[in-house]
Amino acid sequence: MQADITILGGGPVGATLALLLARAAARPENIVLCRPRRPSVAPATAADPRSMALNHGSRVLLASLGAWPEGGADILDVHVSQRGRLGRTHISHADFGVPALGTVLPYAAIVEALDAALDLSGITIRAGAPAAILRHDGDRAVVRQDDDEWTSTVCVHAEGGTFDHQARNDLHRSYRQHAILAIVRASRPRPGWAWERFTDEGPLALLPYPAGAARDTGRYAMVWCCRPEHAERLASLDDASFAQALGRAFGARLGDFAAAGPRHRYPLGINLRRKVVDGTRVAIGNAAQTLHPVAGQGMNLGLRDAAGLAEALAPLLRNPATPAAPLLAAYARARAADRWVTSGLTDFMPRIFATGLAPIEHACGLALLGLDLSRTVRGPLARQLMEGLR
Ligand SMILES: Cc1cc2nc3c(=O)[nH]c(=O)nc-3n(C[C@H](O)[C@H](O)[C@H](O)COP(=O)(O)OP(=O)(O)OC[C@H]3O[C@@H](n4cnc5c(N)ncnc54)[C@H](O)[C@@H]3O)c2cc1C
């Protein structure tokens, strides 16, 4: 088989790219998406405990592909504060004329909606062992998955992943923080509000969580970033002690907490490729950059990678004889600013609030206060986090 484009990795970013390409391709069957085999009983992703805050731009993109999952919890207002220090800022959807700043969805719901749309797309989906590029045959790559081999004009790395201490890239830094993830319940929930609280160990976020079929309201997806040894202790507490610890760290704004369900732990760091293109190979999403989850940017940025790449590859889809390398080089140039600004923001925020130096932390608190007073600064910051650079 000869493919025009092969995508290695059918996570949210790879799947979105596949759908965008299928829409523009004269022969969608020449686009190959390689993903792991999903178990027949439960979706493979059901075990993934991450909740994703997707911004307005991502929602518009997925909805346009018929892959926007129903039932997400909208974020109308975001409250940002710093524990034990002056300063807070409030960002509201009303300030930007959008129906919501973002929507919280389980990772599994996003993948399932994309999978359903892929089934109708006409592209070639290969499910099996991890796919790999074996070698180059002239200007075409030879790709293998299980016992099948084929050649491809362009190969897209969308294998994703979370921060890995072993994987080295141009910018590789561990924050010496772990994220604890859990679904918690608040006794005085505030519908539509998300909370981001900077502590001296890292940010603590509470995001409104979908009520689900059981109409179970008052739940929050918690992402608590703290030192690894603290995270280990938090993970081993019983539910009641964990809920009390959360109350002490977050404060009394939402009443008392109750822990509902298991806790999961992720090591955090940044792992960024400076060069995302090598000839006719290109990396997008987490394969190109793994970020700190502060402000929920990783998937949003990856979806913008997918949109940018689909646009760049349009001439190849119209005419498979078009040389691919210049198209990919143009893609890399066009995406550079958004990648660096978003990565820079998510790299800066968790470190600056956790310096342990009181004057710096007070200054950050004042900056938050300043942000609250100044629409001119707050607007561009929120817009970058909501839509990225277009
Ligand atoms: C705690 C935490 C909270 C987060 N919260 C948010 C948030 O609120 N908002 C947000 O925008 N982002 C958030 N993120 C980031 C987000 O999870 C990632 O940016 C996003 O999942 C990246 O998508 P992806 O498709 O690039 O990679 P992945 O989601 O990792 O998917 C890659 C897929 O490729 C498959 N694969 C791997 N290797 C191969 C291979 N060789 N062949 C075939 N298939 C392969 C994998 O099995 C997987 O299915 C968070 C991350 C963490 C850790």
Side-chain angles (χ1 to χ4, degrees), residues 15-26:
T16 299
L17 174 67
L19 288 173
L20 286 163
L21 295 174
R23 204 163 57 170

PDB file of all heavy atoms in Angstrom, residues 15-26:
ATOM      1  N   ALA A  15      -6.430  11.996  16.089  1.00  0.00           N
ATOM      2  CA  ALA A  15      -7.769  11.739  15.538  1.00  0.00           C
ATOM      3  C   ALA A  15      -8.362  13.004  14.928  1.00  0.00           C
ATOM      4  O   ALA A  15      -9.000  12.961  13.866  1.00  0.00           O
ATOM      5  CB  ALA A  15      -8.682  11.201  16.642  1.00  0.00           C
ATOM      6  N   THR A  16      -8.141  14.141  15.580  1.00  0.00           N
ATOM      7  CA  THR A  16      -8.660  15.410  15.035  1.00  0.00           C
ATOM      8  C   THR A  16      -7.991  15.722  13.697  1.00  0.00           C
ATOM      9  O   THR A  16      -8.659  16.123  12.728  1.00  0.00           O
ATOM     10  CB  THR A  16      -8.412  16.561  16.044  1.00  0.00           C
ATOM     11  OG1 THR A  16      -9.107  16.234  17.242  1.00  0.00           O
ATOM     12  CG2 THR A  16      -8.890  17.895  15.511  1.00  0.00           C
ATOM     13  N   LEU A  17      -6.675  15.510  13.637  1.00  0.00           N
ATOM     14  CA  LEU A  17      -5.984  15.740  12.362  1.00  0.00           C
ATOM     15  C   LEU A  17      -6.569  14.837  11.277  1.00  0.00           C
ATOM     16  O   LEU A  17      -6.833  15.282  10.152  1.00  0.00           O
ATOM     17  CB  LEU A  17      -4.475  15.472  12.522  1.00  0.00           C
ATOM     18  CG  LEU A  17      -3.688  15.533  11.215  1.00  0.00           C
ATOM     19  CD1 LEU A  17      -3.667  16.962  10.655  1.00  0.00           C
ATOM     20  CD2 LEU A  17      -2.255  15.023  11.397  1.00  0.00           C
ATOM     21  N   ALA A  18      -6.784  13.567  11.611  1.00  0.00           N
ATOM     22  CA  ALA A  18      -7.314  12.620  10.619  1.00  0.00           C
ATOM     23  C   ALA A  18      -8.659  13.105  10.075  1.00  0.00           C
ATOM     24  O   ALA A  18      -8.907  13.062   8.864  1.00  0.00           O
ATOM     25  CB  ALA A  18      -7.450  11.233  11.244  1.00  0.00           C
ATOM     26  N   LEU A  19      -9.526  13.589  10.966  1.00  0.00           N
ATOM     27  CA  LEU A  19     -10.851  14.051  10.511  1.00  0.00           C
ATOM     28  C   LEU A  19     -10.739  15.296   9.626  1.00  0.00           C
ATOM     29  O   LEU A  19     -11.439  15.428   8.623  1.00  0.00           O
ATOM     30  CB  LEU A  19     -11.738  14.365  11.719  1.00  0.00           C
ATOM     31  CG  LEU A  19     -12.230  13.142  12.501  1.00  0.00           C
ATOM     32  CD1 LEU A  19     -12.947  13.578  13.768  1.00  0.00           C
ATOM     33  CD2 LEU A  19     -13.170  12.294  11.628  1.00  0.00           C
ATOM     34  N   LEU A  20      -9.832  16.196  10.008  1.00  0.00           N
ATOM     35  CA  LEU A  20      -9.649  17.408   9.196  1.00  0.00           C
ATOM     36  C   LEU A  20      -9.123  17.053   7.807  1.00  0.00           C
ATOM     37  O   LEU A  20      -9.573  17.606   6.800  1.00  0.00           O
ATOM     38  CB  LEU A  20      -8.668  18.354   9.902  1.00  0.00           C
ATOM     39  CG  LEU A  20      -9.241  19.089  11.121  1.00  0.00           C
ATOM     40  CD1 LEU A  20      -8.107  19.658  11.974  1.00  0.00           C
ATOM     41  CD2 LEU A  20     -10.167  20.213  10.662  1.00  0.00           C
ATOM     42  N   LEU A  21      -8.175  16.117   7.751  1.00  0.00           N
ATOM     43  CA  LEU A  21      -7.606  15.723   6.457  1.00  0.00           C
ATOM     44  C   LEU A  21      -8.654  15.010   5.610  1.00  0.00           C
ATOM     45  O   LEU A  21      -8.755  15.244   4.392  1.00  0.00           O
ATOM     46  CB  LEU A  21      -6.392  14.808   6.668  1.00  0.00           C
ATOM     47  CG  LEU A  21      -5.175  15.431   7.363  1.00  0.00           C
ATOM     48  CD1 LEU A  21      -4.120  14.364   7.639  1.00  0.00           C
ATOM     49  CD2 LEU A  21      -4.573  16.558   6.525  1.00  0.00           C
ATOM     50  N   ALA A  22      -9.445  14.148   6.277  1.00  0.00           N
ATOM     51  CA  ALA A  22     -10.457  13.382   5.534  1.00  0.00           C
ATOM     52  C   ALA A  22     -11.438  14.322   4.848  1.00  0.00           C
ATOM     53  O   ALA A  22     -11.886  14.072   3.721  1.00  0.00           O
ATOM     54  CB  ALA A  22     -11.202  12.452   6.489  1.00  0.00           C
ATOM     55  N   ARG A  23     -11.741  15.429   5.527  1.00  0.00           N
ATOM     56  CA  ARG A  23     -12.717  16.372   4.981  1.00  0.00           C
ATOM     57  C   ARG A  23     -12.206  17.007   3.689  1.00  0.00           C
ATOM     58  O   ARG A  23     -12.972  17.316   2.794  1.00  0.00           O
ATOM     59  CB  ARG A  23     -12.964  17.460   6.040  1.00  0.00           C
ATOM     60  CG  ARG A  23     -14.263  18.155   5.913  1.00  0.00           C
ATOM     61  CD  ARG A  23     -14.623  18.884   7.167  1.00  0.00           C
ATOM     62  NE  ARG A  23     -13.597  19.868   7.569  1.00  0.00           N
ATOM     63  CZ  ARG A  23     -13.781  20.761   8.524  1.00  0.00           C
ATOM     64  NH1 ARG A  23     -14.898  20.772   9.202  1.00  0.00           N
ATOM     65  NH2 ARG A  23     -12.845  21.616   8.830  1.00  0.00           N
ATOM     66  N   ALA A  24     -10.875  17.191   3.606  1.00  0.00           N
ATOM     67  CA  ALA A  24     -10.327  17.901   2.447  1.00  0.00           C
ATOM     68  C   ALA A  24      -9.783  16.962   1.377  1.00  0.00           C
ATOM     69  O   ALA A  24      -9.440  17.412   0.285  1.00  0.00           O
ATOM     70  CB  ALA A  24      -9.209  18.830   2.920  1.00  0.00           C
ATOM     71  N   ALA A  25      -9.679  15.646   1.683  1.00  0.00           N
ATOM     72  CA  ALA A  25      -8.973  14.727   0.776  1.00  0.00           C
ATOM     73  C   ALA A  25      -9.861  14.241  -0.354  1.00  0.00           C
ATOM     74  O   ALA A  25     -11.042  13.923  -0.141  1.00  0.00           O
ATOM     75  CB  ALA A  25      -8.455  13.529   1.560  1.00  0.00           C
ATOM     76  N   ALA A  26      -9.260  14.160  -1.565  1.00  0.00           N
ATOM     77  CA  ALA A  26      -9.993  13.564  -2.678  1.00  0.00           C
ATOM     78  C   ALA A  26     -10.099  12.053  -2.443  1.00  0.00           C
ATOM     79  O   ALA A  26     -11.109  11.433  -2.787  1.00  0.00           O
ATOM     80  CB  ALA A  26      -9.251  13.853  -3.980  1.00  0.00           C
TER      81      ALA A  26
END
